[in-house]
Every structure is written in C-alpha cells, then in structure tokens.
Amino acid sequence: MNSPSVPVDSPAPSAWEELVTAALLGTERRTPPGCPPGREAPVALLDAAAVETVRRRAGLRPARAADRPQPAPEDARPALPPAAARRLAMLLADRPGAGGGGRRGTAPDLVELLPEWLARANDRGLAPPPEVLPALLDAARGRTDLRPAALTFAGPRAVWLARLNPDWRFALRATPGGGAALPHLDDPVKVQQLWQEGLFAERVALLSAIRAREPEAARELLVTTWATERAEDRLMFLDSLRMGLGPQDEPFLEQALADRSRNVRATAAELLSALPGSALAGRMAVRAGACVALDHTGDGPTITVEAPHECDAGMERDGVVAKAPAGRGERSWWFGQLVEATPLGTWARRLGGRTPEEIVALPVTDDWQAELHAAWCRAAVRQRDAEWARALLGSPSAPEAGGPGAVSLAERAKLLGTLSSDERAEWVAGFIATHGLSEAFQLLGVCTVPWAAPLGRAVVDALNIARDAGSYPWSFSGVMGLAERCLDPAEASRLDGLLAVPDEPEDASPGAGGYWAEAFQRLVTTLRLRAAMIEELGTPGA
C-alpha cells in the first residue's frame, strides 16, 4: 500500500535511520523528515523518535491470519482447595538464591518445599488452577528433578501449553509420544499401524503401555521390526523390557547377545544376569566358581581367589567388557564382572552351605577381599537380594563405618535400597547413633520420607550433640536441610526445647550458640509450615 504523504508523527518504515542521522549531525545541519528547519526542529525530532520507538517495539507487518488454537483439554480431577492454591502460588513465587547466600536466618526455604507439596497433591489426585500453570512450567523448566511430579500435577494442559511456547518443550519430550493419544490396545490394526509408522517417542510409549499390560505381546511386537531398527532405537526398546522381566524373555535376550551394537549386547547381558535361572547366569556362575575356592589348610577356612587370565570370546559375548578402566588391573576387572553377574545362591553351594553372613565373615587371601565383596554388593543390588544386602551391610554399630562388604558409603546406600523402608530407617538410625552425622548424608537420602520416628529422633539427637560440642552448624547444613524436608511435621513440638540460645562452653566457636538457635528455629518453623500445607490439601481420597 502506498502512502501519499509521510507526516512527522508517522514516519516511513525507513525513517529510523533518518532520525538517527539527524540526531548525530544536529537539527541545524539535518532536519527530521517532514519538518522545516527552525527552533521547533529539535522538539519534532524527539517526537518523531518517540513515535518510531513505539512503532518498532509494537508494530507488526500485516500477515495472513493464523488458525485459532484448539481449546485446552478438560481436566476432570477435583479442583485444588483455595487455601492450597494460595500456598502453591506462594511456593512458586519464591526463587532460589533470593536470600543472597550466607546466613539463612529463621525463614523456611520455600523452594525446597515444592517437591513435597506436588507429591502430596498428586497423591490426592487434585488439579491445579489454570492461572498457575505458566509459573509451574517455568519452575519445572529450571529444575529437572521437579519435572515428573510437576507434569503429573499440571495434567493434560501442560502438553497443550508446551505446544504454544518453545520454552516449555521439555513437557513434550517428557510425555511419552509427546502427549499424542495412543490407540486402544485392543485394536490390533491401529496398534500395528502406529508401531510401523509412528514417531520414535510414540512407538516407545506404545511399547511401554503394552509391556505394562501384556509383557509377552510387547516383546512379540518388538520382534517384528527388531532387525530393521537403528542401534540407538534397539537400545531404548530393549530397555523397556525391564518392566515385567521374566524367564519368557530369555530366548529373545539371548539372541540380542549377538547384536552388532556393543551397548545393546551389554544391556541384554545385564537383563539376563538379573534372571537367576537364565543360561547366561549359569555360565557366569561356572566361570566365577572356577575363580573362587575354600581353603581348609590353615587355621580356619579361607576364601582363595584366582582371577581369570584372559577375557575370551564367550565372556565378551556374555557382557564382560574386556578393556579395563584406567587404573584397574585387567584380571580384577574381569573377575568383578563375573561375580557381579553370578546368582548369589551359587555361593552357598560353592562355599560349604554357609549363609551369606557366614560367607561375608570368611577371610579372603591375597588382598582380594575388597574386590570380591564389592562385586557381591553389586550383585545384591542387581538381584534385589535383601539377605545378602544385610550380610554386606553388617551391624550399623560396627566399629568401622565401612562395614564388612561395602567399599564406600555410596555402595552402602545402594544396599540399603534393597531393604524395606522400616528396616532401612532402623539401620540408618543405628548408624547415626554410633558414628554421628558426618558420614550419614548419603544414607539419609535413601530413607523414605517422612522419616520414621526412630530415625528422626536419631538425627535430632545427633544435631543436639553437635550443638553442645560448640561447633558451628554449617558443617551440618546438608543434614539440617534434609531434616527440614524429611522429618515428620509432628515432631515440631518436641523440638521447642532446642530454640533457646545454649550456654557456650569455653572452647566453643564464638557465636555458635546463636547460629544453632537460628537453625533449630528454622527447622521448627519449616515443620509447622509443612503441617499447614498437608492440612490445606485435605485427606487423600476424600
């Protein structure tokens, strides 16, 4: 469209450059477009620049009208109670680091309460108010640990919004099939069509859905296209067989041991080793058994180890990685992999019918104990064997915090994961009572929230002992933060006696008592805030 004239208050699209030139040269030498020279020229220049600035920021070229987006899907879940909705808005408005670091004072860390709030809201099957969804997706965008719970709570509208804003595209990636509706699993024609023609994410979602319902049908569907799949896709599809893994999957997994992809072969071997009755587990048991024997020639029975001298083709086919990491000896590397993949029931037969506790207590010759016990730890975790996990953990009050079998606290934390939540909490409470909190952080992280009463008491008692010792609380800030999120809120009233500033011993750090009083005040305030949050959300299933 052509314009017959260009007034001062409506410059042409290229007028910005003219205005910049006039400003640089001065209005005495160059006047703005459409304005005569004189005393009014500077004012006209500023007016034109203001108008052009607004036009450049807000103006749009005429374009073809786009189709209106489809309405957001309905969310049939019950609405969030008003008090809980206000609490959610407050939690989402808080930002990490708002306190500027340093001394935290007594104010609760609201950001760290959001995961528990979301978990409890999801347990109750509640739906969020639509107006908080953008802030909820922004929070999940910045915290990957928050995404599963946040997207579950956001519901179907999260995917709808993610299609409109590229900043939230993680919601599409996190939702199987990008939120696309799967065909009814009883419709074989549509299932087969999606499996043959669908996008990768849709096919993964379809396979997972069928696996959860009919494990064998999912495996049979995978077999139909296995030979033509890309290596990275075969790996992802194979990983879906972890759900419902059973002996009926063994023939397919045995075939996958010959796959041309090393990662696929390794995953197939790992899955087979988790089936104690599989042929692979039997082959590994023979190999590992040939390396371990019981020697009765000394003062008492002793385990002897003769690690393999080579990694042959059969071992590699069964998932043994031939190349050792830097700093590891090849023989010990191969030996550890054999023992890790061997069914733990093998060792009672191999070592005189002894129990796991008796086996772990046996001495091991030639410094092989750490390697052997570490491999047993990995086997116990992989096979979810609680009896072996207890034997390797040992007593929580043992003098050495490392335990008879665990080579690190990380190993110990994994072993605890095989036990029931109550037994886990009881063991960690005993560990803290003996060894204090300095090594307990990783162990506390695997305990069910809220902590059971004995564990909560052990943590608070240990914090109280540290306070009485006169040290600063900063060394225990990680545990204190966990306590704020994991202690049962009902414990708040029991902590009131810790809020006063204690008398400081002569050798105490200056001002430590005041810092401890602040830390306990924050703990109590946070517990009471969590109690209020839980009450606002209502009773589960109500």
Side-chain angles (χ1 to χ4, degrees), residues 179-389:
L182 296 176
H184 198 285
L185 300 184
D186 293 328
D187 187 338
V189 175
K190 290 186 176 179
V191 166
Q192 192 61 233
Q193 181 180 6
L194 182 60
W195 180 248
Q196 296 288 343
E197 303 173 6
L199 300 173
F200 175 68
E202 294 171 335
R203 299 178 71 213
V204 170
L206 176 64
L207 189 66
S208 299
I210 298 175
R211 184 69 177 179
R213 178 175 162 180
E214 299 179 46
E216 292 191 28
R219 188 187 64 254
E220 291 169 1
L221 182 65
L222 179 56
V223 169
T224 62
T225 60
W226 179 258
T228 60
E229 302 287 357
R230 300 182 306 166
E232 56 267 33
D233 294 350
R234 293 199 304 277
L235 183 62
M236 290 292 293
F237 290 141
L238 192 63
D239 200 60
S240 69
L241 299 187
R242 295 181 189 277
M243 181 189 302
L245 182 67
Q248 64 277 7
D249 296 314
E250 184 180 354
F252 174 71
L253 294 173
E254 274 284 342
Q255 292 180 4
L257 289 176
D259 195 271
R260 55 188 179 273
S261 166
R262 182 180 65 183
N263 290 332
V264 171
R265 294 196 301 271
T267 300
E270 180 191 346
L271 293 174
L272 284 168
S273 68
L275 296 172
S278 69
L280 179 139
R283 295 192 295 270
M284 289 298 200
V286 171
R287 293 175 182 127
C291 298
V292 177
L294 204 57
D295 183 5
H296 293 278
T297 59
D299 295 335
T302 302
I303 294 177
T304 61
V305 173
E306 180 66 27
H309 290 270
E310 65 173 344
C311 181
D312 59 35
M315 290 168 61
E316 287 197 63
R317 183 183 181 276
D318 285 344
V320 176
V321 178
K323 185 174 177 57
R328 286 289 303 273
E330 284 186 332
R331 295 182 65 200
S332 65
W333 171 244
W334 301 331
F335 173 72
Q337 293 179 79
L338 295 180
V339 174
E340 177 182 354
T342 296
L344 288 164
T346 301
W347 302 110
R349 298 188 297 271
R350 179 68 179 164
L351 301 174
R354 290 174 170 81
T355 65
E357 188 173 1
E358 291 169 337
I359 292 172
V360 169
L362 289 172
V364 183
T365 60
D366 299 330
D367 297 325
W368 280 102
Q369 177 168 313
E371 189 69 51
L372 179 60
H373 285 193
W376 278 339
C377 284
R378 296 192 297 273
V381 172
R382 181 183 293 188
Q383 297 171 36
R384 309 298 298 173
D385 192 310
E387 186 179 7
W388 267 90

Side-chain angles (χ1 to χ4, degrees), residues 95-119:
R95 288 291 180 267
R103 189 166 177 170
R104 285 180 55 196
T106 60
D109 190 345
L110 300 183
V111 171
E112 293 304 322
L113 299 184
L114 190 54
E116 179 186 13
W117 191 98
L118 289 170

